Structures are given as structure tokens and as C-alpha cells.
Amino acid sequence: MMATDMSLVRPETLRFQVEKVLRQAIIDGRFAPGERLIERELCASLGVSRTSIREALRKLEAEKLVTIVANKGPMVASLSVKEAADLYELRGMLEGFVAHEFAQSASAADLAQLAEALTQVRTAAVAQDHVGYLPAKNALYRIMLARCDNQLVNESLTGLHLRLNLLPANMQIPADRLAESLQEIESLYQAIVARDGEAAEKAARWHMAHARQAVLQWLGK
């Protein structure tokens, strides 16, 4: 009975592992937006069957990380300027909601964790560490998102964050914008500590509006 159970679980587990590896490769920029994903090469690289690769690619297509192009096959998706603008606008609304809820429900342990994450954001900003700044800031937002009790908001933001990884890997935050961004995050933190949900929501939406503007300026170069 145990052998039968294991044989039923293994294919699903393998598909999940292949999805995870390919998703992370796209997020890390190892596959660039617009790059073809050749099934034969992926099979050889990962040591799995073409069926497993195709199943994983279908899942990533549903997440809008992969697109299937006629006569070309699967390719890493890319974001247009309009799509990036729309994603940031929606992200601002959703993260505003999350900040509002977090300010009202966060425990002392949550606030301590948020303070620690803010320290990492400060460190990256002061050092002008463009590579480390965004991951540090995203880690701070994940703390708030983990406390969110709205599963639909959670799923939507997770999907938005994934798609925003399709922005060009060489995109850098201008030095003056890095300082402004830190100030906005500091304001968000102060509103949360004060348990002011409305101010926290406003700060989160304000920050994302400025981030949207900076990204669109960069993409418009």
C-alpha cells in the first residue's frame, strides 16, 4: 500500500519541483524576457521528461511568466510599459489595504520583525546598494502580507510580485529616488507603529505611486 501511495505522489511532486526551478530561473533573470524556452534543452538540463517540462510551462503560463507564441513555442513573458503601469497601480491599492490591516492587527512580535526588516532596508539605501535594496524592501512587505487574513489579496499580490520580476534586470533606482523611497518606507513604519491604519494605507499607496513613476521613467528612456 505504501509503494502505491508513493507512486501516486511522486509525479505531482516532480512537477512542482520543475515548476519551482523554472520559476526561480525566470525571477533570477537566468532566462530573460522574450527568451525562448526550448523543451529539449530544459529536459537535458533538469533531467526530466518532456511531459514534466510541458506541465510546468503550462502552470507558468497561467501565472503569466511564460507565453506560448505560434511557430516559436514557449517564451519568457515580457512586460509592456502599459502592463507595468497597471501592475504598479493595482499593487498600490492592494498593499495599501495590507498596510491598513497590518497596522491594526500586528502583534508586538510582528512589529519587532518589521523593525528588523526596516534596518536592512536602511542599510541597503545608505550604502547605495541597488542590488540589495529591492529584496530588502520586498522582505519588509512580505512580513505585512504574511499577516493578511484575506487570501484573495494574498494570492493577487503574490502574482503581481512574480510578474514584476519580468522588468529588465539591469533597471536601477536613481540615487535620489533611493533616498526618497527610504523616507516613504520610514513613514509607513511610523504609521504602523502608531496603529494608524488610514495613515499606513496612505503611506503604502504613496510609496507605490512614486515607485511606479520611477519605473515608468526608466522604461521610457
Side-chain angles (χ1 to χ4, degrees), residues 34-72:
E35 183 175 345
R36 289 185 62 198
L37 298 170
I38 302 173
E39 293 180 359
R40 179 183 67 259
E41 294 179 359
L42 294 176
C43 291
S45 175
L46 298 179
V48 297
S49 68
R50 183 161 290 192
T51 298
S52 296
I53 293 295
R54 286 177 176 172
E55 289 175 347
L57 291 175
R58 279 197 293 269
K59 180 63 166 61
L60 297 181
E61 182 186 17
E63 295 175 0
K64 298 187 182 299
L65 295 179
V66 168
T67 183
I68 308 299
V69 181
N71 301 321
K72 290 186 178 180

Side-chain angles (χ1 to χ4, degrees), residues 20-41:
K20 183 177 180 181
V21 169
L22 292 179
R23 183 184 296 110
Q24 195 61 49
I26 293 172
I27 291 173
D28 291 344
R30 282 177 279 170
F31 295 122
E35 183 175 345
R36 289 185 62 198
L37 298 170
I38 302 173
E39 293 180 359
R40 179 183 67 259
E41 294 179 359

Side-chain angles (χ1 to χ4, degrees), residues 122-169:
R122 284 195 197 107
T123 300
V126 170
Q128 292 288 303
D129 179 5
H130 295 273
V131 174
Y133 182 76
L134 286 178
K137 191 179 72 170
N138 289 339
L140 183 144
Y141 272 97
R142 280 197 299 271
I143 293 169
M144 294 191 291
L145 187 57
R147 198 76 166 78
C148 180
D149 196 35
N150 189 312
Q151 187 61 31
L152 288 177
V153 170
N154 203 308
E155 290 174 357
S156 296
L157 270 174
T158 299
L160 288 178
H161 292 167
L162 282 175
R163 290 194 68 195
L164 286 172
N165 280 288
L166 296 172
L167 288 170

